[in-house]
Amino acid sequence: MAVDYAVIVVYLAGMLAMGWWGMRRAKSKSEFLVAGRRLGPWMYSGTMAAIVLGGASTIGGVGLGYKYGLSGAWMVFTIGLGLLALSVFFSARIARLKVYTVSEMLDLRYGGRAGVISGVVMWAYTLMLAVTSTIAYATIFDVLFDLPRTVAIVLGGAIVVAYSTLGGMWSITLTDMVQFVVKTIGVLILLLPIAVIKAGGFAEMKAQLPTEYFAPLGIGGETIFTYVLIYTFGMLIGQDIWQRVFTARTDKVAKWGGTVAGTYCLVYALAGAVIGTAAKVLYPKLPSADDAFATIVKDELPMGVRGLVLAAALAAVMSTSSGALIACATVANNDIWSRLRGLATGNGGEEHDEVKGNRLFILLMGVATIVIAIALNDVVQALTVAYNLLVGGLLVPILGGLLWRRGTVQGALAAVTVGGLSVIGLMWAYGILANEPVYYGLLASLASYVIVSLATRPTDAAVLVNWRARLAGQDPEAARAAEGGEADETPEKTVPAATTG
């Protein structure tokens, strides 16, 4: 294993070095939080694919392939579909808003009063996403170095916190690009063909396994529908995903670069399922399906290649973990802490001071993530709670704001509150892993949004004029003048300072 260890150590050292390099570039709030909004198509595509394809997509995707066959690809496939939908239909408009958080978008659309409560929901989601990613280090470092669970979590988490705190989004972007390359080589180019060959090829796999292992819907229609609700819609509204959209150089980069990343996810989904299916042929009686990835890597890959593939798994976890961490810290600082202190985001001092503040919040959230990850055991339940709250509480007001002009701030607040509380109550009644909480919570959120919006006064015309101008990438002042001077009549209703970017 000496060669494999050397590969891993070089990889980890490289991550820290890129964090140090990124620190030299992150001199302003924009550079630190969204990489200066300067990413071109290739770097944007690679980093977007890296953030959405984490440990659950790699280790969990192979595990689903082991358990269900080719239909085990559906979880990661729905992630790819969500990224494609975001990129084709929404990303260009989102990029033109020039904001930093989802809550700032809600303030811009509804008039400046939806930020804190939506920020709390988004913060809870990003925190749990960071926690579940951090827990995955225990599995990988156990395979690599036979480390105790707590030591593995601290080691992996500390490396991610270090390079994220040093350089912010620039460090994360650079490391994610390397992680994307490592995952592509390790999983798609090396592990996939080796696993199929070791299993005897597709003909032997079909001969050894039941027919349902090769049925497209073998995992079950209800499961696929739930994946669509949680993961496809979750891709449309998550702060960790939107923050990457904000890094695009132009709206065209956001649209077409994201489309390339979404297509890559579809390929990655099928690859994971095929690897898991091959592992089922080679090791038909593993105690846990999630052991399939580590087992086939340890037992079937040659020296050196094994280290690279394990580095690919580590890369998958780190990319999601770092993306969730900076999203969590951004929301905590910009949407919650600054607002509670009565400071408008973007006006609280010199840009360099804001970099220090955001760097401090990444450090604080990183320490909190490591502590919670050590205390928490059930990753699936934590991730389910996170996505249920995200989709049940925020999907309707976000998409409603983008698609329905009649939506009001009262309707948005009602949707967040009713949807979030419904999801929590239904998880208590039906169980955390049940499908009903997200189904009924989403319906309750939608009903609240529509009814309350129709029952309250429409959003102020000046706010909507400003909103449409920002969506179109136009000067808000010129747009208000073209609309007949509404802004002059109601100057207090212009875009909140928190959204000026």
Side-chain angles (χ1 to χ4, degrees):
M1 292 287 289
V3 175
D4 298 322
Y5 290 161
V7 172
I8 300 298
V9 170
V10 168
Y11 167 77
L12 294 177
M15 296 300 99
L16 292 175
M18 288 185 181
W20 183 262
W21 187 88
M23 182 178 67
R24 300 174 63 184
R25 299 199 62 169
K27 300 300 184 182
S28 70
K29 178 181 179 180
S30 176
E31 296 282 351
F32 191 82
L33 293 182
V34 291
R37 307 187 196 275
R38 290 194 289 168
L39 297 193
W42 295 112
M43 185 167 282
Y44 178 86
S45 298
T47 57
M48 182 62 87
I51 179 71
V52 300
L53 295 174
S57 300
T58 303
I59 299 171
V62 171
L64 287 172
Y66 183 88
K67 189 173 182 180
Y68 297 105
L70 298 186
S71 66
W74 272 106
M75 183 188 78
V76 183
F77 201 82
T78 55
I79 291 174
L81 291 178
L83 186 52
L84 284 172
L86 174 70
S87 302
V88 172
F89 298 113
F90 300 110
S91 63
R93 287 184 285 175
I94 292 170
R96 289 194 291 264
L97 290 175
K98 302 297 182 185
V99 295
Y100 292 105
T101 68
V102 174
S103 294
E104 289 180 12
M105 167 265 170
L106 292 174
D107 275 354
L108 184 63
R109 165 61 180 83
Y110 293 111
R113 290 171 288 172
V116 173
I117 187 170
S118 62
V120 170
V121 175
M122 188 64 75
W123 173 77
Y125 156 73
T126 53
L127 178 64
M128 295 313 296
L129 186 62
V131 167
T132 54
S133 300
T134 302
I135 291 174
Y137 297 130
T139 301
I140 298 172
F141 280 106
D142 177 59
V143 173
L144 289 172
F145 306 117
D146 195 26
L147 291 176
R149 179 180 184 274
T150 298
V151 175
I153 289 173
V154 171
L155 177 60
I159 292 171
V160 170
V161 171
Y163 73 69
S164 300
T165 302
L166 286 172
M169 186 59 82
W170 267 122
S171 294
I172 292 171
T173 296
L174 294 170
T175 54
D176 276 1
M177 197 63 199
V178 173
Q179 289 158 356
F180 169 74
V181 173
V182 171
K183 279 192 288 191
T184 301
I185 295 173
V187 176
L188 297 185
I189 297 178
L190 295 176
L191 182 57
L192 175 61
I194 290 174
V196 172
I197 292 171
K198 291 285 187 177
F202 286 104
E204 183 64 19
M205 290 163 63
K206 286 185 176 181
Q208 292 287 336
L209 297 172
T211 305
E212 56 265 25
Y213 262 71
F214 301 91
L217 305 180
I219 198 170
E222 185 177 355
T223 298
I224 295 171
F225 181 68
T226 302
Y227 285 160
V228 170
L229 277 185
I230 292 178
Y231 298 114
T232 301
F233 286 122
M235 289 295 106
L236 297 180
I237 59 175
Q239 169 68 25
D240 51 323
I241 310 302
W242 278 42
Q243 199 156 343
R244 295 310 174 93
V245 175
F246 301 150
T247 66
R249 181 189 303 156
T250 65
D251 54 359
K252 289 184 179 179
V253 168
K255 181 175 182 177
W256 297 112
T259 301
V260 171
T263 304
Y264 178 90
C265 292
L266 303 184
V267 175
Y268 200 88
L270 185 59
V274 171
I275 293 168
T277 304
K280 184 67 175 179
V281 174
L282 295 168
Y283 313 100
K285 295 183 179 180
L286 290 177
S288 170
D290 286 339
D291 294 337
F293 180 89
T295 302
I296 197 169
V297 169
K298 284 196 303 182
D299 294 352
E300 304 298 337
L301 298 186
M303 178 180 60
V305 173
R306 179 172 49 215
L308 184 59
V309 174
L310 287 172
L314 193 58
V317 176
M318 283 187 161
S319 57
T320 299
S321 180
S322 60
L325 177 59
I326 193 171
C328 178
T330 303
V331 171
N333 187 21
N334 291 264
D335 291 339
I336 301 175
W337 176 243
S338 291
R339 294 168 192 258
L340 292 178
R341 291 175 57 207
L343 298 176
T345 306
N347 283 343
E350 297 294 326
E351 286 286 295
H352 185 65
D353 295 333
E354 292 203 45
V355 170
K356 289 182 179 179
N358 283 295
R359 185 173 281 137
L360 175 62
F361 266 85
I362 290 180
L363 180 60
L364 292 175
M365 293 300 104
V367 172
T369 296
I370 293 172
V371 171
I372 296 171
I374 292 171
L376 198 63
N377 287 317
D378 200 320
V379 180
V380 176
Q381 288 195 2
L383 195 60
T384 301
V385 170
Y387 272 99
N388 281 353
L389 282 173
L390 176 70
V391 174
L394 291 179
L395 178 67
V396 169
I398 292 172
L399 293 189
L402 290 168
L403 300 174
W404 191 38
R405 175 172 176 162
R406 188 60 181 82
T408 66
V409 65
Q410 293 87 354
L413 291 172
V416 174
T417 304
V418 173
L421 292 177
S422 297
V423 164
I424 293 171
L426 289 165
M427 284 191 293
W428 181 79
Y430 286 96
I432 290 176
L433 299 180
N435 294 327
E436 287 83 359
V438 71
Y439 293 168
Y440 300 143
L442 194 55
L443 289 175
S445 180
L446 177 61
S448 301
Y449 182 70
V450 173
I451 293 171
V452 175
S453 291
L454 293 176
T456 52
R457 293 181 60 185
T459 303
D460 188 88
V463 172
L464 290 178
V465 169
N466 191 79
W467 165 252
R468 291 196 298 272
R470 291 285 287 269
L471 277 180
Q474 300 171 351
D475 177 20
E477 291 296 331
R480 285 195 290 271
E483 290 281 340
E486 292 96 328
D488 293 334
E489 299 170 10
T490 55
E492 73 281 3
K493 297 282 184 75
T494 57
V495 60
T499 66
T500 58

